[in-house]
Every structure is written in C-alpha cells, then in structure tokens.
Amino acid sequence: TARGGGRIGGLWMSISVGAAVMQTVRTATQKRLTAHLKTNTITSVRYLFGMPVAAVYLLALVVGQAATLPSMSGRFLLYCVAGGLAQIVATSLLVALFSLRSFAVGTTYAKTEGFQAAVLGAAFFGERVSKGGLLAVFVGAAGVATISMSGAGAPLRALTRAFRDRATFYGVASGALFALAALFIRKASHLLDAGFAVQAATTLVVMVGIQATLMGAYILVVDRSELRAIARNVRPCMLTGITSAVGSIGWFTAMALQNAAYV
C-alpha cells in the first residue's frame, strides 16, 4: 500500500542517515590510525574488531524473533566473497588517500560512489533508477563535492586539474569498488528466505567473516609485526571496528530495503 511504502521509505532513509553518522566516526578514527598502523592493518581492524558486534547483532535478531538462520546457496556465498573483496580494496584505497596531499580531491571523487552504483547497477545488476532518482544521486554527489572542496581557492579548477593525480585514481577506484560491494550486498541478501533484518544481518556476518579471515591471515603471514602496533592502539582499533559494524548494520539493512544507488 501507499502507506506501507511510505513507512519503508522513511525507514531506509532514517537507517541510512544513522549509518552515515557511524561511517563519519569510523573514517575519523581510521585517519587517526594512519600515524600508527599501515594501510592494510587499518583495513584489517575494521573487520577483526567489527565481526563480534555483527555476530551478536545477528544472534539477538534470531533469538528475539524466534527465527532460524536462512539457508545459504553457493550463489549467495559467491556474492558475499565478491562484495567482501571489493570492499577490502576500496577501504585500502580510501585509507591510502589520507596520506596524500590531494586528500580532499581524492575523497571528493570517492563520493561518486552513489552515481557509479546507479550506472553499474543499471548496466550489470538490473537495478533501475528513475530519472528523478538519478538527479537526486547527482545532486547529492555534487553537494558532497562542494563541501569537500570548500577550502580550495578554485575548487572546480582543482577537481579538473587533478585528473592525472594519484589521489584521483584512488578516489574514483574506491568509489567504484564501494558501489560494486553495495550491489553485491543487495543481491546476496535477496537470495535469503527471511525478513529484511535477518537477510541483512546474515549477509553482514558472512561477508565480514570472510573479510576478517582473509585480512587476519594476511597480517599473520605477511606482516606479523603489526600485531604489536594493534595492541598499542587497541582502543582506537576497537572504536573503528565497532562504528564500522554498527554503520554496516545500517547500510546492509537499508540496501535490503532499497536500491543501492539511493542508499
């Protein structure tokens, strides 16, 4: 019904705003960690410290709703792996931006994620976006670009001049990979026979579990010395993981309800 559609619309938008707040805190803590940890380690702590939060949330949902975990197909797991890998690389690129002089420019290009999700979703995932929706996505990206570049003397010139800058490549690639991750998340969750909250939470736990396993193994095998650095900075690492998990709960839930580009 129209009334039900309005409730769903209000729900996914409210959840998305809350997730954005958590993402802002997480990004700030990640930026602070660049002084103490390597790029891949900062990416790792997001999943290693976030996994317990996601697991407890799923358990609370299942117990609270007297539900059972939905069965998972091979296609579901494939989407989770693809989305997890895309998000790992996207996060690493975003963290790498923090150390570059053109950080603001690169971050601005990373915020084209919504626009790229609309294009990639329509081209490869069957996610149709209305003309009004596409306009809203474009206006949102333009607004973020204006805010991000407000400190520059000539922001438009800075953006166009930066086409050959490494920060630009990192930003555009990060945005594209985050967009792909969002699209894979939405596809994966819709393969589960459950309510939208359990769909989202199950997808989150599986995907973060894959990411935590991969990045944990990387640190143990390739860069074990970073374990001491994590121990010395355990509080900001925990804050990064917790805010990341809470934000992801919001993003995954909103994307189970609505087109990834809109979210």
Side-chain angles (χ1 to χ4, degrees), residues 245-257:
V246 174
S248 292
I249 288 169
W251 293 130
F252 279 55
T253 304
M255 284 185 283
L257 289 168

Side-chain angles (χ1 to χ4, degrees), residues 12 114 117-118 121-122 126-130 137 182-183 186 190 254-263:
W12 77 259
E127 294 274 322
R128 300 301 174 188
V129 178
S130 67
V137 170
L183 291 162
R186 180 164 165 80
H190 285 181
M255 284 185 283
L257 289 168
Q258 183 56 273
N259 188 308
Y262 295 158
V263 176

Side-chain angles (χ1 to χ4, degrees), residues 6-88:
R7 285 198 298 267
I8 291 297
L11 180 60
W12 77 259
M13 285 188 281
S14 298
I15 292 172
S16 297
V17 171
V21 172
M22 288 295 102
Q23 179 176 300
T24 301
V25 178
R26 184 206 72 205
T27 301
T29 57
Q30 284 180 323
K31 191 174 191 304
R32 196 172 78 182
L33 283 171
T34 56
H36 309 286
L37 304 177
K38 296 178 181 178
T39 296
N40 287 331
T41 309
I42 297 171
T43 302
S44 301
V45 299
R46 169 181 176 178
Y47 309 118
L48 294 172
F49 287 88
M51 178 63 192
V53 178
V56 168
Y57 172 68
L58 175 59
L59 179 62
L61 275 181
V62 170
V63 172
Q65 298 181 6
T68 57
L69 287 175
S71 59
M72 305 172 200
S73 65
R75 190 179 175 192
F76 167 81
L77 294 173
L78 181 61
Y79 282 149
C80 286
V81 170
L85 291 174
Q87 195 178 73
I88 285 173

